[in-house]
Amino acid sequence: MGKMKKKEYAEHLGELQVELNAMARWLQHSGRRVVVLFEGRDTAGKGGTISAIADCLNPRQCHVVALPKPNEREQGQWYFQRYVAHLPTAGEITLFDRSWYNRAGVEHVMGFCNAAQYKAFLSQAPVFERMLVEDGIVLLKYWLAVDQAQQEERFAERVADPVKRWKLSPIDLKAREHYADYGRARDAMIEATHHELAPWIIVDFNDQKIGRLNLIRDLLDRLPDQRVPESELELAPLKGKPGKERYRGPVKPIEGKF
């Protein structure tokens, strides 16, 4: 399959974003809660996919969570505690850009947790997730997969592009040496934490546009299809001529450079 053209991608994404808005209306109407975890290889496309979902939704309803490394106080907490604080309330959806599965991935591979902490996580994660689902949360867990050759191209692109360079950290660069280790860690993670209530879903992201569309399509298909009619809105004609901005005080608009 050849690369998807930008116009075709935009058309498909536009259709999916209409459906995402219908999903948001259903959430508001039903009071359901949705949590989506985005895990996967560095450069796979987690951020772009999250943006494609969140950009068309009300930010008061759709929350993106991308936590930094835990501070000293958080390191002394129950491991799942800081994630619990970001779970959605009724009618909301939360998108985790990496999640509690950091412990089974980067922390395990790069030695940021010990063997006992890693083993405890693999045992506790399914119990924690069962509690979430049994309380009514819809939990979806996505792993974004990308081959190493494609990953290397994207690393090189980020190094060359000053706008994307922030996406690279020293840990990302060091992790390049551990591609196979991350694969083994993923397999062990899925074996221990893939269960009926919260299964893992793997999406091929060697082509980011196609991967993005497939993931959003899959997400929508896994949610109940309960359409809620959209409210009718009518723009009444203005009474009189449209107004213009006028400024009485000392502050005026800046002088534009463009």
Side-chain angles (χ1 to χ4, degrees):
M1 182 182 294
K3 277 191 172 285
M4 181 177 288
K5 294 182 178 179
K6 289 183 179 180
K7 182 178 179 181
E8 183 183 1
Y9 166 73
E11 290 174 353
H12 287 307
L13 180 60
E15 293 168 355
L16 291 172
Q17 288 179 330
V18 170
E19 291 191 51
L20 285 168
N21 271 269
M23 176 272 294
R25 287 195 299 276
W26 164 74
L27 277 179
Q28 285 183 319
H29 178 78
S30 66
R32 295 295 299 274
R33 295 163 290 163
V34 176
V35 172
V36 188
L37 310 186
F38 293 84
E39 296 288 343
R41 300 281 191 178
D42 291 330
T43 78
K46 294 178 289 295
T49 304
I50 290 170
S51 293
I53 297 170
D55 287 354
C56 69
L57 300 178
N58 185 338
R60 295 182 181 86
Q61 183 186 18
C62 177
H63 305 286
V64 177
V65 178
L67 298 181
K69 67 179 183 179
N71 58 34
E72 185 176 353
R73 184 172 187 278
E74 289 169 332
Q75 289 175 11
Q77 295 174 344
W78 174 49
Y79 178 73
F80 295 95
Q81 188 168 337
R82 71 182 190 137
Y83 296 101
V84 170
H86 297 278
L87 294 174
T89 190
E92 294 182 349
I93 179 171
T94 300
L95 312 176
F96 280 93
D97 187 349
R98 297 200 183 277
S99 66
W100 46 88
Y101 280 101
N102 274 339
R103 175 135 295 177
V106 63
E107 290 188 22
H108 172 58
V109 174
M110 304 306 291
F112 298 147
C113 69
N114 60 42
Q117 291 171 324
Y118 171 68
K119 184 178 179 180
F121 172 83
L122 293 182
S123 173
Q124 293 173 5
V127 179
F128 172 65
E129 292 170 3
R130 178 177 292 274
M131 292 171 64
L132 299 183
V133 175
E134 289 181 348
D135 196 58
I137 288 177
V138 177
L139 177 60
L140 300 174
K141 304 186 302 190
Y142 286 99
W143 176 272
L144 282 58
V146 62
D147 295 335
Q148 191 171 23
Q150 186 62 246
Q151 186 184 53
E152 283 295 296
E153 287 185 20
R154 294 174 190 172
F155 275 135
E157 180 185 354
R158 290 181 180 184
V159 169
D161 188 344
V163 176
K164 294 183 178 180
R165 205 167 294 159
W166 67 270
K167 296 183 177 182
L168 283 175
S169 70
I171 295 299
D172 294 330
L173 296 177
K174 191 174 180 181
R176 292 173 58 230
E177 306 167 11
H178 297 277
Y179 184 88
D181 295 328
Y182 272 102
R184 286 188 286 270
R186 175 206 58 217
D187 292 344
M189 174 191 76
I190 290 176
E191 183 176 358
T193 63
H194 177 77
H195 51 101
E196 184 179 358
L197 292 178
W200 277 100
I201 308 142
I202 298 177
V203 184
D204 185 340
F205 262 74
N206 279 298
D207 185 310
Q208 288 183 322
K209 290 187 178 68
I210 292 175
R212 201 172 295 154
L213 297 174
N214 283 332
L215 189 151
I216 298 172
R217 178 72 271 159
D218 183 87
L219 186 158
L220 290 165
D221 288 345
R222 289 176 188 271
L223 296 176
D225 187 12
Q226 298 180 6
R227 301 279 174 172
V228 177
E230 193 168 0
S231 300
E232 293 291 334
L233 298 175
E234 183 179 348
L235 288 176
L238 290 173
K239 297 178 180 179
K241 294 181 179 180
K244 290 187 177 182
E245 292 276 24
R246 288 183 169 80
Y247 309 92
R248 294 183 179 179
V251 181
K252 302 289 189 293
I254 64 169
E255 291 186 13
K257 305 275 181 168
F258 301 94

